């Protein structure tokens, strides 16, 4: 059986963004992502801040996908405590992208936008607990080390 709430995301620790220049030949989608990361850096800094992108949150309100499913897309920053052990806040843009819920009203959609933010914070805690954050930081450090050895360009490091 499917989970009642399914959340997926890609995570870019902002402390790993070494350069903020955008390649001249960047696609419009990549350029937009880089701009959002730059905005997150300016607003939240690099310490204990993580940019989530390519992210979705799906709610199943009934036991059938064709009735009562809400799918949201989100992106933005989550913030952790000083030791990166607990999520303490988020700054997310949330958008309803599809639904199979004919009783949905605007106040419910607004309520779910906040519910997505809360659910993402809980999920990011689970991400930390599973060791995925530490593994992601190790992978990024390894990629940066490889790039430095080759004299390569990493751009935004995403």
């Amino acid at each position: 059986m499917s989970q009642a709430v399914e959340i997926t995301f890609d995570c870019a620790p902002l402390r790993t963004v070494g350069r903020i220049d955008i390649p001249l030949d960047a696609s419009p989608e990549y350029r937009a992502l880089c701009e959002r990361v730059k905005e997150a850096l300016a607003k939240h800094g690099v310490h204990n801040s993580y940019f989530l992108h390519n992210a979705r949150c799906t709610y199943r309100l009934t036991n059938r996908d064709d009735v009562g499913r809400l799918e949201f897309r989100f992106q933005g920053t989550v913030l952790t405590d000083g030791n990166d052990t607990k999520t303490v806040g988020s700054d997310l843009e949330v958008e309803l992208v599809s639904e199979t819920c004919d009783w949905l009203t605007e106040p419910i959609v607004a309520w779910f936008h906040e519910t997505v933010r809360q659910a993402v914070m809980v999920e990011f805690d689970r991400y930390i607990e599973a060791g995925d954050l530490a593994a992601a930081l190790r992978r990024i450090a390894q990629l940066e080390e490889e790039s430095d050895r080759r004299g390569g360009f990493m751009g935004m490091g995403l």
Side-chain angles (χ1 to χ4, degrees), residues 25-36:
D25 61 347
S27 69
E29 295 82 17
Y30 185 69
R31 179 172 297 284
L33 173 62
C34 292
E35 289 296 337
R36 289 189 303 272

Side-chain angles (χ1 to χ4, degrees), residues 62-151:
T62 69
N63 290 328
R64 289 180 48 184
D65 264 353
D66 61 337
V67 178
R69 183 187 48 75
L70 306 172
E71 185 175 352
F72 295 87
R73 184 176 22 222
F74 66 90
Q75 67 180 349
T77 307
V78 293
L79 306 166
T80 62
D81 63 8
N83 297 319
D84 286 327
T85 57
K86 176 137 182 71
T87 307
V88 296
S90 69
D91 182 10
L92 302 175
E93 296 174 19
V94 178
E95 173 189 12
L96 177 66
V97 292
S98 73
E99 51 89 7
T100 58
C101 189
D102 61 2
W103 64 92
L104 194 60
T105 62
E106 189 55 41
I108 294 171
V109 172
W111 183 83
F112 264 103
H113 279 191
E114 181 56 31
T115 302
V116 168
R117 289 179 185 90
Q118 296 298 320
V120 168
M121 289 175 40
V122 168
E123 192 66 20
F124 202 75
D125 281 344
R126 289 170 32 102
Y127 179 76
I128 292 168
E129 291 165 9
D132 291 344
L133 179 58
L137 291 172
R138 282 192 302 276
R139 281 192 308 275
I140 290 168
Q142 184 180 15
L143 286 170
E144 287 176 339
E145 186 178 303
E146 251 178 64
S147 177
D148 289 347
R149 278 198 314 269
R150 294 181 184 166

